[in-house]
Amino acid sequence: MMSRTSSEPEPFEAGDGAVTDAAFSALLEDSAEDLYERAPCGYVSTLMDGTLAKANATLLDWLGLRREDVVGRMRFSDLLTVGGRIYYETHFEPLLRMKSEISGIALELKGAGGVRMPVLVSAVVKHGSEGEPLLIRATLADARDRRAYEEELLRARRSAEAARREAEADRARLQDALAALQQSLLPATLPAVPGLESASYYHTASPDRLGGDFYDLFPIDGEQWGFFLGDVCGKGPQAAAVTSLTRYTLRAAALHDPDPVAALSTLNTVLHERYTGSDPRYCTAVFGTLRPDPETGQVAVRVASGGHPPALVLRADRSTEYLETPGGLLIGILPNPPLASAATILAPGDTLLLHTDGLTEARTALGGRGSERYGDDALREFVRAAPDTSPASLVDALTGLLESFGEGLDDDTALLALGAPATEKPV
Amino acid sequence: MTRTNRTTSVKTLTLAVRQAATGPVVEIVGDLDYDTAADLRTRLAGIPLTADDRLVMDLAGMEFCDSTGITALIAARNHALAAGAGVALAAVPEHTLRVLHLVGLDQVFALYDSTAEATTAGNRPSGGNLPSGGNRPDTQAAG
Amino acid sequence: MDTRRRNNVVVTGRADGPTVVLAHGFGCDQNMWRLVVPALADRYRVVLFDYVGSGQADPAAWSEARYSRLEGYAQDVAEICAELELRGAAFVGHSVSAMIGVLAARSVPDRIGSLVMVAPSPRYIDDDGYRGGFTAEDIDELLASLESNYLGWSGAMAPVIMGNPERPELGEELTTSFCATDPDMARVFARTTFLSDTRDELKDVTVPTLVLECRQDAIAPREVGAYVHAAVPGSRLVTLDATGHCPQLSAPEVTGSEIRAFLDGLHPADPAAPAAPLPGDSR
């Protein structure tokens, strides 16, 4: 192989120069006219008003027209389809007038017998010595392959757009369905209960995944209210189905027998009967009843727990205690599980806090390896330091705490706080 | 209970099954979580059990167990009970033990400090290291 | 909504002169008028703008529903007139804009006092005794060709524009924007334009009207110019010695001077009035 950097012209040998030059000249002489007429593109020259003054044989062949029918008789736009003609008049010509040159315009020629041919047109205006426009020269390149390619692209683009629209619509439908389902798992707002303050918060770890935490507050009879908070194992549609079953089972059970242990037992029977074998589904839950006393401003609380972290009581004096329910088992595992119950009285200014373990299991930066959990003790300290002991204030502060965990909070978290209204502002 | 995300999403569960005097022992090494729990379930389904067996799950090498992992352990228990066999957890890591205690499962599983103890016929469960309410042997839980 | 920004409104010429609004048609943008503005600017306040969907108008203002009817474009015009607080302005509309001007003059009669219709057509499709120059099949073909030129259209105009050393008066911004129309919006404008039939509107024109047609125009043929002239009461028809559909480009001098003459006729110079306010005059 000869080096490309050689200064010698590769194909020619010294001594043959005269012969080669002669062959070149012959070629060039021959091609001046022939190159124009038989070039692999169409050539036209027109007057400024578009009247065709000159056209090469290639173009005439494409069109199937005779020179004498074209030159001096037709205008450039007459060679175009109607669509192309309008495009020419509204885009091509204005541009050419403004710029004196344009290139790469896609137009379609219409020839004898309805022959159509896509071309790419480039044109320049030739000016006279005074700068006045004299005529337009244009080349027309065969764009049949390009057009076919473009149509292929267009088809692909259209089908991609259609697929995208469909996917977006599917996604929107799915999200609507998820939202509707999620709304069925939680109350939109907590009901107003005379003689009771309440607040709640739900943190969703992932908008695409239905959460498994739940809570509710609802009337049982004229004097009693029921509440619950819990956590279904797992996530996604299956977990949501269990959550929904759990919520409505507990509501119905409480109407039948408001005793907390009885309500959780009913739920256990339902879950255990429904999900057994290799696909166990279970939940942890605290269920309770509230009986506000309008005379004293106190609220009597009874709770039962199945495997759930105990409720925390924040007293008006900022002392804290757990409403211990030891030995309560996950709901849905055993046919007759141990369920623990407890009771307390909320005096004015006291608040009962229920939460799921997303809060205490949140990873904090303190752990170094990222495995340190927030923990029960930290929560207790935090609750004690809340601005005031009302449910709204407590949930507000805890919401801020959850936000501060950032990435460390990777689970859904539910909060429900229930309190006896303070008779006067705590000092 | 529904925590499923971890900082790594690589499946890191290794399972090994061996036969001891008391029956099969399943060694669970790595993370038992949302991504891997199905592996355990599948593996368990292929382990034949008789009424004389005690299915022991050796958790000494288990580094992480979330609620889905707990569910898989419960599924293992159901599998054992269906065959009339017993079930035990051995060498339960502290955090998991705490969770088991919290949700009351320490009452459901027989807990042993080590696999050696769990596979010694006639040994009584230790109940793990946490001070808690009384443990009940696995025979209590028959459904 | 900021109408000036939305429609890229440009005000030039003599600030205290009578106002003339120059409106572009389907295809390009306000730069179509570049060569005509100098003929008007010394005496008239010249307002230029781009319809939404064209030129440098705000693409965020696009609404397919609104701009699928000529009334939507006329609403642009009415809103620009209101924004500039115009009274009795002259509206010069090219091509489809001539008919948009008719619609706008009807909706805001106080603001538009005269019309210049450049290469107008109230109906492009032939129709029982009316000759618009196109058959229904032609227009279908145009619209189909717009579809098939989707890529060609969007791609073709961008590389076109390379600056023009021979015409230094054409600014740099022109070289990047002229005719660079969003193909989706252009399709809607084309459909709206070429399927429109506004012949019935012409008889209701009440303002002084000048119709300018070209000697040879493939889009608005002479018959159509004559039709418009006959239908608009009291209108004047001038046939420009120009070819093509855009006389403001192919024959800017004669186009400019005809518009100027028409406007001057409406606003006769007051020999007593000074050409410019004297120092100390309050405005």
Side-chain angles (χ1 to χ4, degrees), chain C residues 28-250:
Chain C
C28 295
D29 61 25
Q30 61 181 267
N31 288 299
M32 288 289 276
W33 296 107
R34 282 244 169 171
L35 304 179
V36 168
V37 170
L40 308 172
D42 66 303
R43 189 164 172 225
Y44 296 91
R45 180 178 179 231
V46 179
V47 175
L48 297 156
F49 70 97
D50 298 333
Y51 287 109
V52 173
S54 302
Q56 299 297 294
D58 183 0
W62 174 256
S63 147
E64 181 158 347
R66 171 164 170 158
Y67 296 108
S68 293
R69 304 173 66 231
L70 289 185
E71 283 79 1
Y73 298 90
Q75 205 178 327
D76 276 16
V77 172
E79 286 165 9
I80 291 164
C81 289
E83 170 69 24
L84 299 177
E85 298 177 2
L86 303 185
R87 296 255 155 231
F91 182 92
V92 181
H94 172 231
S95 191
V96 68
S97 255
M99 293 312 304
I100 293 170
V102 168
L103 298 175
R106 194 187 59 192
S107 82
V108 286
D110 292 353
R111 302 201 181 276
I112 296 177
S114 59
L115 291 173
V116 178
M117 305 173 76
V118 182
S121 176
R123 170 73 167 164
Y124 293 90
I125 300 174
D126 298 343
D127 184 16
D128 195 25
Y130 169 84
R131 185 166 176 270
F134 296 91
T135 64
E137 292 73 36
D138 286 340
I139 298 301
D140 286 347
E141 183 188 78
L142 163 69
L143 297 173
S145 113
L146 294 189
E147 283 290 333
S148 72
N149 273 308
Y150 193 127
L151 285 179
W153 280 49
S154 54
M157 286 308 158
V160 161
I161 326 275
M162 316 253 166
N164 187 348
E166 290 152 279
R167 299 287 286 273
E169 76 272 18
L170 304 180
E172 182 60 31
E173 84 281 10
L174 173 60
T175 63
T176 54
S177 73
F178 190 52
C179 285
T181 313
D182 179 292
D184 288 331
M185 302 180 192
R187 225 168 25 233
V188 173
F189 197 6
R191 179 178 288 275
T192 308
T193 296
F194 291 105
L195 296 181
S196 65
D197 182 358
T198 45
R199 285 174 291 177
D200 279 354
E201 307 289 337
L202 295 172
K203 65 179 190 310
D204 297 328
V205 173
T206 56
V207 296
T209 299
L210 170 66
V211 180
L212 294 181
E213 61 171 6
C214 295
R215 184 167 49 77
Q216 192 159 34
D217 182 346
I219 292 186
R222 297 279 301 269
E223 291 97 316
V224 175
Y227 180 93
V228 172
H229 168 53
V232 175
S235 65
R236 200 160 78 79
L237 175 68
V238 171
T239 304
L240 300 169
D241 185 15
T243 56
H245 186 56
C246 305
Q248 68 272 58
L249 289 174
S250 63

Side-chain angles (χ1 to χ4, degrees), chain A residues 100-239:
Chain A
S100 291
E101 65 175 45
I102 56 176
S103 63
I105 306 290
L107 291 172
E108 200 166 12
L109 299 178
K110 195 169 78 175
V115 158
R116 281 158 183 265
M117 176 158 167
V119 289
L120 285 177
V121 181
S122 296
V124 293
V125 175
K126 176 182 162 66
H127 292 95
S129 55
E130 305 291 307
E132 76 282 12
L134 292 179
L135 53 86
I136 299 165
R137 291 167 169 162
T139 61
L140 298 82
D142 181 352
R144 281 175 292 198
D145 286 351
R146 182 187 132 131
R147 178 59 51 86
Y149 168 66
E150 282 180 354
E151 278 167 5
E152 200 55 47
L153 276 181
L154 260 183
R155 259 195 300 280
R157 179 162 156 177
R158 285 208 194 91
S159 66
E161 277 173 5
R164 185 182 51 76
R165 276 194 298 273
E166 209 167 294
E168 277 176 4
D170 284 351
R171 189 178 162 77
R173 268 197 301 279
L174 188 59
Q175 273 177 345
D176 286 351
L178 284 178
L181 194 49
Q182 182 83 65
Q183 279 165 16
S184 79
L185 304 181
L186 296 171
T189 55
L190 294 177
V193 179
L196 183 84
E197 288 178 345
S198 64
S200 63
Y201 178 71
Y202 194 94
H203 167 82
T204 306
S206 161
D208 291 339
R209 270 184 153 176
L210 290 166
D213 291 5
F214 58 89
Y215 61 82
D216 207 350
L217 173 62
F218 59 97
I220 293 174
D221 54 39
E223 297 172 345
Q224 273 193 108
W225 294 72
F227 66 92
F228 54 83
L229 176 142
D231 184 349
V232 165
C233 163
K235 267 189 184 292
Q238 295 91 342

